[in-house]
Amino acid sequence: MAGPELSLPPAPERAPEYGHDALVVCDNLVRIYQTESVEVQALQGLDLLVHDGEMVAIVGASGSGKSTLLQVLAGVDAPTAGQARVAGHDLVSLSRSERVHYRRHVVGFVRQQTARNLVPYLTASQVVDLPMSIAGRPKVDRRRRTAELLEAVGVAHCADRRPDALSGGEQQRVAICVALANEPRILLADEPTGELDSETAQEVFAALRTANRDLGATVVIVTHDTAVSGQVARTVAIRDGRTSSEVLRSHDELATGVHTVGEEYAVMDRAGRVQVPREFREALALTRRVRLALQDDHVEIRSDGDAG
Ligand code: ADP
Ligand code: MG
């Protein structure tokens, strides 16, 4: 069935934009904190893509920029340079009113400090209702969603209790409900299990997984807890304000429940830079200059013999 021949010019070959199909795009993200005497580069050109539906853990030493990244993604803090986009919202150029809308409808944020996520004089039901009430949702609708959310993460029994009558794990699970109330595209959690014992931490982690699997939120969780990072399909490591490596786990590995090592990948940024782990550098005395050679199926890095 040869159709009539068309003589249209070929479509211009344009490379798709970096992260065009991702929910979260950080491109060369920089955040510099300027204090009176010093300048701290909390993020130094960080690249990160997160796709819709993913659950990603972010790990890294204290001070590596994890909270700064989450605050930028939460629309709480603005980057100094680079790009940050979430669900099509450009976080660099949000106006004041767009920022309010973004924080209310596009992201949900759970902090480490359990107490800061809730309001002392509001019950669990009331505090989950609050963001929906501010957004002007009808009361019947709000009541139904509140009950559904509390039930989904296993804290329905806490509905009429105030924070002081909740355990730390219950407080964090209610906080997850608050963050999810307005059906955000993405749920951000900054060390949400940091103040909890390991058993309680598991309950909170299970609630985040419910948010991801059953409630349709993409989840980004900063954690020190290797038991948590061992249970997600992708773990991204940040070092010195940049993404340095990633560990991917297969569905099978996750399903067995055994904490596996996963396969570790180094992250190459858009300029082609890769961070060579310190152990590797020390083992072969790789210092300032190295020799690179392209082989058939790999790239070789050797120490610069002359330098030593
Ligand atoms: P992490 O969460 O990985 O521990 P942070 O993002 O909190 O790291 O901090 C990254 C770096 O930025 C640290 O050196 C920290 O001291 C610095 N920093 C964070 N917040 C501020 C701030 N408000 N003013 C100045 N420096 C800050
Ligand atoms: Mg932090």
Side-chain angles (χ1 to χ4, degrees), residues 31-239:
R31 174 63 168 110
I32 298 172
Y33 290 111
Q34 194 90 50
T35 59
E36 285 163 28
S37 49
V38 287
E39 192 176 82
V40 180
Q41 293 209 11
L43 300 176
Q44 312 189 28
L46 177 139
D47 295 335
L48 175 71
L49 298 180
V50 178
H51 289 92
D52 199 13
E54 269 197 291
M55 177 152 179
V56 176
I58 295 186
V59 299
S62 175
S64 56
K66 305 181 299 295
S67 294
T68 303
L69 169 65
L70 246 58
Q71 277 170 3
V72 168
L73 296 179
V76 176
D77 190 18
T80 309
Q83 292 294 316
R85 217 164 53 236
V86 176
H89 299 266
D90 180 359
L91 300 183
V92 179
S93 63
L94 283 185
S95 70
R96 231 181 134 90
S97 63
E98 285 166 344
R99 193 170 291 278
V100 170
H101 175 269
Y102 177 79
R103 289 173 57 175
R104 198 171 284 163
H105 295 279
V106 184
V107 285
F109 193 28
V110 177
R111 298 165 198 277
Q112 172 176 359
Q113 300 89 349
T114 50
R116 287 190 58 198
N117 286 312
L118 304 176
V119 183
Y121 53 85
L122 294 183
T123 65
S125 287
Q126 288 167 338
V127 77
V128 177
D129 181 84
L130 193 59
M132 294 186 277
S133 175
I134 293 171
R137 269 171 86 154
K139 196 163 184 172
V140 207
D141 202 21
R142 274 154 38 201
R143 212 174 267 165
R144 184 182 40 78
R145 176 127 182 109
T146 300
E148 277 172 8
L149 285 171
L150 293 174
E151 175 74 37
V153 300
V155 286
H157 61 285
C158 302
D160 299 321
R161 297 198 211 153
R162 295 191 171 79
D164 60 6
L166 301 174
S167 71
E170 287 166 346
Q171 288 186 25
Q172 284 304 62
R173 283 184 282 163
V174 173
I176 290 169
C177 296
V178 174
L180 290 172
N182 283 329
E183 292 160 87
R185 296 290 301 278
I186 183 160
L187 178 63
L188 306 169
D190 193 355
E191 301 194 38
T193 62
E195 292 181 349
L196 308 173
D197 62 73
S198 59
E199 200 172 311
T200 313
Q202 274 304 315
E203 288 168 9
V204 172
F205 179 66
L208 291 168
R209 201 150 49 181
T210 299
N212 178 246
R213 284 191 190 159
D214 305 339
L215 305 172
T218 300
V219 175
V220 175
I221 169 178
V222 167
T223 184
H224 273 303
D225 192 340
T226 49
V228 169
S229 57
Q231 291 177 62
V232 299
R234 182 154 76 104
T235 299
V236 175
I238 295 189
R239 197 179 296 151

Side-chain angles (χ1 to χ4, degrees), residues 7-29:
S7 57
L8 289 172
E13 293 251 340
R14 271 185 64 209
E17 202 184 338
Y18 172 71
H20 70 284
D21 58 348
L23 184 67
V24 175
V25 183
C26 296
D27 183 1
N28 212 356
L29 193 60

